[in-house]
Amino acid sequence: PHMSSIETTIIANRSNNRRSLIVYLNSGDPDIETTYDLIKLCDEHDVDLIELGVPFANSFTDGKAVLRSHERALNNGVTFEDVIHMVQKLRTECAIPIVLLADFSHSIKARGIEYAVKQCKESKIQGLLLHGLPPLYLKQYLEHTNTHGITPIFSLYPNTSQEKMLATLL
């Protein structure tokens, strides 16, 4: 199987005894133009990977600072499509690996997993993390990410059983 630029970067860093620097940015806070500029700045300063959030409300896994960031971005009206368009424009200037973090219920369910994965592919986003993905949709998510060459990224929580972790991997 082909390794993604995400895996290639992390493996190369490990073999060179170097840690990977991954920066989380929430799209649209304070505005989409600033998010664009921050990603370019990260690229210029050798950040290895961007985890790029699509804003959504009520994230039970985030702290107060990130929740406030989501709120500001949502108040700016930032949508999944706005984030995709920003990355498409960004790709004319830089190729920094990006993992898109999108909430399943807020951003993906109504649009469909296949649509979301195709949008990632078209904008050269390398990875997709679907927050709150119900197990029912796991097979579909893996099929579409595999078909379109997008690296699926998963969240594991402290109370995730080893059985569930292994089931996700197999």
Side-chain angles (χ1 to χ4, degrees):
H2 171 73
M3 275 201 303
S4 72
S5 57
I6 297 166
E7 293 162 308
T8 305
T9 299
I10 291 170
I11 290 168
N13 285 346
R14 276 191 192 151
S15 65
N16 292 319
N17 205 24
R18 182 174 169 258
R19 294 187 187 268
S20 296
L21 179 59
I22 301 170
V23 171
Y24 173 76
L25 296 171
N26 197 28
S27 301
D29 179 27
D31 53 54
I32 206 89
E33 294 78 16
T34 303
T35 307
Y36 182 96
D37 292 340
L38 287 171
I39 296 171
K40 279 181 42 188
L41 191 65
C42 286
D43 185 48
E44 290 162 13
H45 290 280
D46 299 323
V47 168
D48 294 300
L49 176 72
I50 299 291
E51 181 181 355
L52 185 62
V54 177
F56 61 98
N58 306 319
S59 172
F60 61 90
T61 57
D62 288 320
K64 288 179 183 172
V66 175
L67 286 171
R68 286 194 302 269
S69 175
H70 283 301
E71 192 177 318
R72 288 188 296 267
L74 289 170
N75 286 339
N76 288 338
V78 175
T79 66
F80 177 84
E81 285 74 18
D82 293 332
V83 177
I84 293 296
H85 293 290
M86 178 201 53
V87 175
Q88 286 172 333
K89 181 181 169 208
L90 180 78
R91 287 304 185 216
T92 63
E93 298 187 64
C94 75
I96 189 168
I98 294 175
V99 169
L100 190 71
L101 167 63
D103 182 69
F104 180 77
S105 296
H106 182 86
S107 299
I108 306 303
K109 189 175 182 182
R111 291 171 172 87
I113 293 174
E114 185 176 20
Y115 168 84
V117 172
K118 280 183 174 177
Q119 292 298 307
C120 288
K121 176 72 173 177
E122 288 174 17
S123 58
K124 297 185 180 85
I125 289 172
Q126 288 84 355
L128 179 61
L129 194 168
L130 294 185
H131 179 269
L133 178 71
L136 176 68
Y137 293 93
L138 182 60
K139 187 175 179 198
Q140 184 185 350
Y141 172 59
L142 291 172
E143 284 172 3
H144 291 304
T145 53
N146 184 49
T147 299
H148 295 286
I150 301 295
T151 302
I153 309 289
F154 298 95
S155 297
L156 295 174
Y157 304 103
N159 62 348
T160 304
S161 71
Q162 202 163 9
E163 187 182 347
K164 200 173 256 183
M165 284 184 216
L166 289 171
T168 302
L169 296 172
L170 302 173

